[in-house]
Amino acid sequence: MAARFADVPFLRVPVGEDAHRWRTFPGERTLVVAARTLTSTIRILEVLPALLRGDARITVVFAHDPGSAFSDGSMDLLHDSGCRVMPWEQLSYVEPDLILSASEHIDLPAGHCPVLVLPHGVGFQKYVPDSRASRERLSGVVPDELLEAGRAWLAVSHPEQERQLTAAHPKTAGRTLLVGDPCLDELLVSEDRRKDYRDALGIQDNQRLVMVSSTWGPTSLIARNPELPARLLGQLPWDTHRVGLILHPNVWSAHGAWHIRTLQAAALDAGLLLMPPVHDWRPALVAADAVIGDHGSVTLYGAALGRPTALAAHGSEAVPGTASADLARIAPRLDPAGGLLAQVDGLMRDHAGRRHDPYADVVARAFEPPGTALARLREAVYDLLRLPLPATEAPRPRALTTPADPATPVTSWIVGTRLDADAATETETETTPPGLLTIDVSRFPSSVGRERPETEHSFWHRAVKPAEERDRRLSENASVLLGSAPAPDLAAARHWARDTLARWPGSLLAANGVSSGVCLVSLRDGSAVEVSSTGAPAPGTAPGTGTDPALAASAVYACLRTGIPPYGIEAALRLDGAAADGREIRLRLRPAVP
């Protein structure tokens, strides 16, 4: 054995033939984590620290298997997490007490130590390509030789999974451990921090976050409908809806972030919340108001959280009789080619009108009662390691950390304004404008929005922040120019507007906030309108920051297009029907004193 070690550049600390000479923590047992794919590496790193917290009796080393089509990114994640990693070929020189993995398709060297395999999703619900042969295999099932040798143990989240697994693969009989689902436990315990997650992601109280979730493969949602995020952003108004996207880590690993961001470029320019594959997708799911998914685990997690859930795809590789198949049977379908606003709002409205959660039975058949998965899993690990449990308290699920906001700021909008027909008719017959003008406003990011046909009282215009917009063509074609930061006073706002309108001669007006809280909307003829809020701050406007220049400009633009002098008017702005739930924006328009 000494000669073999001499021939191989070996990881000598914390394991190796003479590791005891160099390591600081002696350790009574050696646990090897087999990291193969990005997905499985993420899952292990999410649960392992809680299992071994504060116990110096266990030495942990990670072995990286690069043989998977989805291994890209896993080594980077291990290094970023500070893990001690050894090459896979050196695993045969180590005699661990337990091998732990969340990747079932591992080719382990001969040995006697037990192998505990954790699921990296919800159960055994999908057929996937077998890298060892031109066939498919059941996801989550280890090679037969590990089962036949009595080494493998498969963690499951519900007794129903044991029955399904035994029926589909009889050799797994007696090789399962019921532990529950640690991921779901953390999602549920984090519900009371939902507002914090929404704030971190920039979601306003009046906005609904629609989370799109896709698994990987040719029948996944993102494969069949890669344009769905952009279409949602183009049809769900900006002021009342936001859109996020959670992709399976295999998509990131196989295609790379550059490719994904290139395919979703229009949606990203429109403010898409593209959640990274490591950790942050979980608080983003908690923050969601609705989930549009497929046969992936995240869709089922969304249903388990009680979120209105619809399917935009459901692949043939889904296993019949599983929770995913049951969810597909009862969940409504979203037509990606149909009117998305009506479908999304209808989904949430119908869900809110139900007296009972329609997915409760499906969830009950997929997950054990939550809250104890980490404790059960720790018991299983220590039992397989032949160690007594530490004297410390059993681990409990902890609230998820606050996510980072991945959205790119939107710098250009297509804006629709529609005046109340009665008010407009009244204006035509009187010499003075109405005291209160009702205006419906709809905003969509330019990268995904489109102008609709105009009518006598409805109009469309483009509003751009020229100092931030990188597409010069959009600024050249904008009717409304918006300032990026409040001016210190009205004189400075006039100066900015004069210079900005001179630089972009195709524009009609320029609007900028003022530190006092009002907004100055300057017209090309040199006149200006001072706009102030008379009620609560507009959605998307932080308290104390004053009137939103984009909304102020929309009110003035609508008046000008209708022939109403924009002076001495109080305007009630309804953002995509927001007035129905009491959030109407009141603005006062008056001449700005030079």
Side-chain angles (χ1 to χ4, degrees):
M1 178 64 72
R4 295 178 63 193
F5 275 122
D7 294 337
V8 180
F10 195 71
L11 177 73
R12 295 186 179 275
V13 182
V15 295
E17 65 175 354
D18 60 350
H20 63 280
R21 298 178 59 198
W22 313 106
R23 63 191 179 196
T24 300
F25 307 113
E28 300 177 25
R29 299 288 189 274
T30 298
L31 170 63
V32 170
V33 176
R36 186 167 189 264
T37 68
L38 178 60
T39 307
S40 61
T41 304
I42 292 170
R43 181 54 63 96
I44 286 290
L45 292 177
E46 287 173 348
V47 302
L48 190 57
L51 305 182
L52 308 182
R53 184 181 178 94
D55 195 341
R57 296 176 298 168
I58 302 174
T59 297
V60 180
V61 65
F62 291 75
H64 179 249
D65 176 8
S68 171
F70 303 115
S71 64
D72 190 68
S74 54
M75 182 63 86
D76 292 338
L77 178 58
L78 290 171
H79 285 159
D80 291 345
S81 302
C83 300
R84 196 77 166 97
V85 184
M86 68 178 177
W88 187 257
E89 60 270 16
Q90 294 178 355
L91 181 57
S92 59
Y93 299 111
V94 180
E95 297 179 359
D97 298 284
L98 173 65
I99 295 176
L100 180 66
S101 180
S103 180
E104 73 281 2
H105 208 51
I106 47 180
D107 188 13
L108 294 174
H112 302 285
C113 75
V115 180
L116 176 58
V117 179
L118 310 182
H120 52 256
V122 182
F124 310 86
Q125 305 188 95
K126 188 177 181 181
Y127 293 108
V128 296
D130 191 337
S131 62
R132 302 181 179 187
S134 57
R135 62 187 179 190
E136 290 187 331
R137 63 177 179 84
L138 182 62
S139 176
V141 179
V142 300
D144 284 350
E145 52 265 30
L146 282 176
L147 295 169
E148 293 167 354
R151 295 179 61 191
W153 294 93
L154 305 179
V156 298
S157 63
H158 192 276
E160 185 67 24
Q161 288 181 9
E162 295 177 308
R163 291 189 287 270
Q164 293 168 352
L165 191 55
T166 302
H169 205 90
K171 291 185 178 181
T172 62
R175 307 308 303 173
T176 58
L177 296 174
L178 180 61
V179 299
D181 192 306
C183 181
L184 178 63
D185 285 2
E186 288 192 326
L187 290 169
L188 291 172
V189 81
S190 301
E191 282 276 54
D192 62 354
R193 293 191 60 185
R194 184 169 182 266
K195 178 65 165 59
D196 296 335
Y197 303 150
R198 291 174 64 85
D199 290 345
L201 294 172
I203 311 300
Q204 304 299 320
D205 290 343
N206 71 301
Q207 291 178 319
R208 296 167 172 173
L209 173 58
V210 179
M211 190 58 68
V212 179
S213 166
S214 176
T215 188
W216 64 278
T219 64
S220 64
L221 182 153
I222 202 63
R224 290 182 169 179
N225 301 290
E227 73 289 344
L228 181 59
R231 295 196 70 244
L232 284 165
L233 286 159
Q235 295 188 37
L236 306 185
W238 171 260
D239 288 297
T240 52
H241 297 77
R242 296 293 304 277
V243 177
L245 176 60
I246 298 172
L247 294 176
H248 193 286
N250 283 0
V251 182
W252 293 88
S253 182
H255 299 281
W258 182 90
H259 193 187
I260 292 170
R261 298 186 70 84
T262 299
L263 290 177
Q264 296 297 324
L268 289 169
D269 287 345
L272 175 70
L273 294 164
L274 177 59
M275 303 311 302
V278 182
H279 307 319
D280 275 3
W281 70 266
R282 297 180 298 163
L285 185 65
V286 174
D289 295 285
V291 176
I292 298 173
D294 55 14
H295 48 290
S297 294
V298 174
T299 309
L300 191 54
Y301 283 134
L305 289 173
R307 303 297 186 263
T309 304
L311 300 184
H314 194 264
S316 58
E317 68 267 29
V319 178
T322 61
S324 176
D326 291 342
L327 180 64
R329 179 172 44 82
I330 64 173
R333 292 298 197 272
L334 182 112
D335 178 11
L340 298 178
L341 177 59
Q343 292 184 75
V344 169
D345 285 354
L347 170 69
M348 288 186 274
R349 183 174 57 251
D350 293 346
H351 189 87
R354 294 177 181 267
R355 300 184 63 179
H356 303 288
D357 185 350
Y359 315 124
D361 291 342
V362 172
V363 172
R365 293 196 300 273
F367 304 104
E368 277 280 273
T372 62
L374 283 174
R376 291 185 180 189
L377 186 55
R378 186 178 74 153
E379 290 177 3
V381 167
Y382 276 83
D383 184 56
L384 293 173
L385 284 170
R386 294 172 289 110
L387 274 178
L389 285 170
T392 56
E393 187 177 1
R396 295 189 300 269
R398 305 175 74 179
L400 301 166
T401 57
T402 302
D405 184 356
T408 300
V410 178
T411 55
S412 175
W413 290 265
I414 296 292
V415 185
T417 55
R418 185 177 65 84
L419 273 71
D420 181 270
D422 294 336
T425 302
E426 179 185 353
T427 303
E428 294 173 358
T429 59
E430 297 185 4
T431 57
T432 59
L436 178 64
L437 193 63
T438 301
I439 307 172
D440 293 315
V441 179
S442 299
R443 293 192 282 184
F444 303 90
S446 290
S447 63
V448 294
R450 60 180 179 84
E451 295 184 8
R452 280 72 163 176
E454 293 192 347
T455 67
E456 183 180 1
H457 302 297
S458 64
F459 315 98
W460 291 89
H461 69 270
R462 189 184 305 277
V464 176
K465 293 183 177 180
E468 301 177 39
E469 177 55 55
R470 298 176 62 191
D471 188 342
R472 183 180 178 86
R473 178 184 55 86
L474 295 179
S475 297
E476 290 174 341
N477 296 329
S479 297
V480 173
L481 302 173
L482 304 172
S484 296
D489 51 43
L490 286 172
R494 282 183 179 273
H495 181 78
W496 170 86
R498 182 177 66 249
D499 291 348
T500 301
L501 289 170
R503 183 181 179 189
W504 306 102
S507 302
L508 176 64
L509 53 88
N512 198 21
V514 182
S515 58
S516 63
V518 302
C519 178
L520 187 72
V521 181
S522 301
L523 281 60
R524 184 160 293 281
D525 63 5
S527 60
V529 183
E530 184 180 309
V531 183
S532 57
S533 299
T534 63
T541 303
T545 58
T547 305
D548 183 347
L551 296 180
S554 296
V556 174
Y557 181 89
C559 290
L560 296 176
R561 288 293 305 270
T562 316
I564 299 175
Y567 309 112
I569 293 175
E570 185 169 329
L573 270 59
R574 299 184 301 200
L575 305 181
D576 309 297
D581 52 10
R583 287 187 294 269
E584 187 177 74
I585 310 305
R586 290 291 183 97
L587 300 177
R588 181 176 295 114
L589 284 62
R590 61 183 181 182
V593 178

